[in-house]
Amino acid sequence: MRDSLPRPPVRFPPGIAGKRRKPWLRRQAILRRTLREIVDLAPAHLPEVVDLWVASWARTMPEIDFEARRPWLVGRLAELAAADVRRRVAFSETGEAMGFVTLDPANGWLDQIAVGPDFWGCGVAERLLDDARAIAPGRIGLDVNADNSRAVAFYEKQGFVKVGTGANPRSGLPTLILEWRRPT
Ligand SMILES: CC(C)(COP(=O)(O)OP(=O)(O)OC[C@H]1O[C@@H](n2cnc3c(N)ncnc32)[C@H](O)[C@@H]1OP(=O)(O)O)[C@@H](O)C(=O)NCCC(=O)NCCS
C-alpha cells in the first residue's frame, strides 16, 4: 500500500544533488582548480599553507613523518620573513590555498615551493614560479632531492639546469643544485 502513495519531489541543495545538478558540481570543481591570485603570505594563511605543505611532502616522501615537521615549517617561514624573503601564496577561485613559494630577492634563492596534491598538474606550480621569476634578480637557485623525480621534471620543464650536487643537511640524501637564468 505504502508504495502506491505519490512521493513528494526530492529537492537536494546544490552540491549534494544527483545527476541533474552535475553541471554545477563540475563548475565548482573547475573553479577549485583555477588560480585566482598570488598574494603575500599573511598570518591568517599560515594554517592552510602548513596543511598543504604537509600533504604535498607526505605524498612525495611517504616514508617521512611530515606531520611532525609542522613546527619546523612555521619556524622556517618566520626566519625567511625576518630575512626579507618574499613568501607568496596562490589562491583558487574558491578561496582555497593551492600552493606557495619563497624567494629571496637579494640572491634569487628559492627555499620552499609546494603545491597541494589536489592541485598538482593544473599549472599552479608554473604560475608560482613565474611570480618568483618576477621577484628574482635575474636568476633563481635551489636544491632538490635527486630522487624527487616529479620536482626535478618540473624544474627541467621550467628551464632549470644542474649546476652542482650536494646532500640534504638533515637526511644526508643526495641533492641537485639547479639554476634558472633570465634570458638576456
Ligand atoms: C614540485 C611541485 C611544486 C610541482 O608541481 P606540480 O603541479 O606537480 O608540477 P607539474 O605537474 O606542472 O609538473 C610535474 C611534471 O613531472 C611529471 N611527473 C609526474 N610524476 C613524475 C615522476 N614520478 N617522475 C618524473 N616526472 C613526473 C609530470 O607529468 C609533469 O610533467 P608534464 O607537465 O610534462 O606532464 C609539486 O609536485 C609539489 O609540491 N611537490 C612536493 C613538494 C616538493 O617536492 N617541492 C620541491 C622541492 S625542491
Side-chain angles (χ1 to χ4, degrees):
M1 277 306 278
R2 197 185 267 176
D3 280 346
S4 62
L5 290 173
R7 294 187 182 172
V10 183
R11 293 192 191 284
F12 293 107
I16 58 167
K19 283 185 180 147
R20 291 171 63 192
R21 295 285 186 188
K22 276 201 172 147
W24 190 91
L25 285 175
R26 254 201 312 276
R27 181 173 151 71
Q28 194 63 6
I30 291 166
L31 288 178
R32 185 169 177 261
R33 282 169 65 87
T34 304
L35 185 131
R36 183 177 66 206
E37 58 181 356
I38 299 177
V39 299
D40 285 329
L41 183 138
H45 303 150
L46 207 50
E48 253 196 296
V49 162
V50 176
D51 281 352
L52 77 83
W53 179 84
V54 170
S56 67
W57 276 106
R59 180 74 69 87
T60 303
M61 303 180 77
E63 64 282 8
I64 295 178
D65 180 6
F66 285 96
E67 279 292 344
R69 295 194 180 180
R70 282 175 184 269
W72 176 83
L73 180 68
V74 173
R76 185 72 187 141
L77 289 171
E79 282 170 14
L80 293 171
D84 292 329
V85 171
R86 299 290 298 279
R87 306 166 311 162
R88 304 282 289 165
V89 190
F91 284 94
S92 70
E93 286 290 356
T94 54
E96 222 173 312
M98 306 172 91
F100 74 101
V101 66
T102 72
L103 198 282
D104 188 337
N107 58 18
W109 189 254
L110 188 157
D111 192 81
Q112 301 288 322
I113 184 169
V115 167
D118 285 357
F119 306 110
W120 286 4
C122 72
V124 66
E126 179 172 21
R127 297 284 294 276
L128 281 166
L129 201 54
D130 285 346
D131 191 87
R133 284 181 171 118
I135 296 167
R139 73 172 284 275
I140 295 179
L142 57 87
D143 58 19
V144 55
N145 285 338
D147 63 357
N148 187 348
S149 44
R150 184 168 189 122
V152 171
F154 168 71
Y155 292 131
E156 283 175 352
K157 188 175 66 173
Q158 294 298 327
F160 282 75
V161 294
K162 179 178 151 189
V163 292
T165 56
N168 187 299
R170 276 186 299 174
S171 62
L173 290 171
T175 59
L176 305 176
I177 302 166
L178 304 183
E179 188 181 62
W180 167 85
R181 284 188 178 275
R182 184 173 291 131
T184 47

